Amino acid sequence: MNYLMVLLIIILDQLSKYIVQSIFSVNKSMPIIENIFHLTYVRNVGAAFGILQNQKMFFVIITLVVISGIILFTRTQTNIHKLVVYSLSLIVGGAIGNLIDRIRFGYVVDFFDFRIWPVFNIADISIVVGAILLSYYLIIIDRVRN
């Protein structure tokens, strides 16, 4: 696990959310590129695409289990490929960023709004990029190595 990467993601995520909450009121939107990209402050009480609304304890428990599992995995393995370490660090950093919101507020602060996709945040980007990198490793690199 790259704990520096995890910490950097958490700091960037929480700082960006703090700035958005300081500047915007809920559902307030500011176009950056009109009708393409806006900053819109929304409170997400569910998961991606609005599923599982108001299931705070479920998300907290699942997130803690996943983070614990990843940390346990990385501590018990001796020869983990760097791409796996980075991908898991991105996933853990993003998961902790959103977990902090759920525990503090009962919702996740989202603000990147591309109008054709649900509004998201830095933690979400980190999780998705980590999952893509991990998938790439498992589908392409690990297959070639074995």
Side-chain angles (χ1 to χ4, degrees), residues 6-20:
V6 171
L7 183 61
L8 180 62
I9 292 163
I10 294 167
I11 290 169
L12 289 173
D13 177 65
Q14 291 298 301
L15 181 61
S16 64
K17 291 171 177 176
Y18 173 78
I19 291 169
V20 166

Side-chain angles (χ1 to χ4, degrees), residues 6-146:
V6 171
L7 183 61
L8 180 62
I9 292 163
I10 294 167
I11 290 169
L12 289 173
D13 177 65
Q14 291 298 301
L15 181 61
S16 64
K17 291 171 177 176
Y18 173 78
I19 291 169
V20 166
Q21 288 178 303
S22 297
I23 294 172
F24 293 94
S25 56
V26 179
N27 298 321
K28 172 87 170 154
S29 185
M30 180 179 76
I32 305 300
I33 302 171
E34 188 70 41
N35 295 319
I36 295 174
F37 175 61
H38 291 223
L39 294 179
T40 305
Y41 172 26
V42 298
R43 294 176 174 174
N44 183 354
V45 295
F49 305 103
I51 62 171
L52 299 171
Q53 295 285 308
N54 299 307
Q55 298 297 316
K56 175 184 169 182
M57 284 311 299
F58 171 77
F59 288 119
V60 169
I61 291 167
I62 292 297
T63 303
L64 289 172
V65 167
V66 169
I67 291 169
S68 299
I70 291 172
I71 291 171
L72 181 64
F73 170 79
T74 59
R75 286 194 173 183
T76 59
Q77 301 301 307
T78 55
N79 191 19
I80 305 175
H81 193 278
K82 284 184 179 182
L83 187 59
V84 173
V85 171
Y86 294 141
S87 64
L88 293 176
S89 298
L90 286 165
I91 292 167
V92 167
I96 292 172
N98 282 340
L99 178 64
I100 291 169
D101 284 12
R102 287 193 196 285
I103 291 170
R104 285 182 66 205
F105 308 122
Y107 55 84
V108 173
V109 174
D110 288 330
F111 54 90
F112 291 128
D113 182 2
F114 280 92
R115 300 289 156 151
I116 59 168
W117 195 258
V119 183
F120 57 96
N121 59 44
I122 290 174
D124 297 335
I125 294 168
S126 180
I127 293 167
V128 169
V129 170
I132 290 168
L133 290 175
L134 184 59
S135 298
Y136 173 75
Y137 172 81
L138 293 171
I139 294 168
I140 307 296
I141 296 174
D142 192 49
R143 184 174 291 166
V144 172
R145 289 175 68 191
N146 293 325

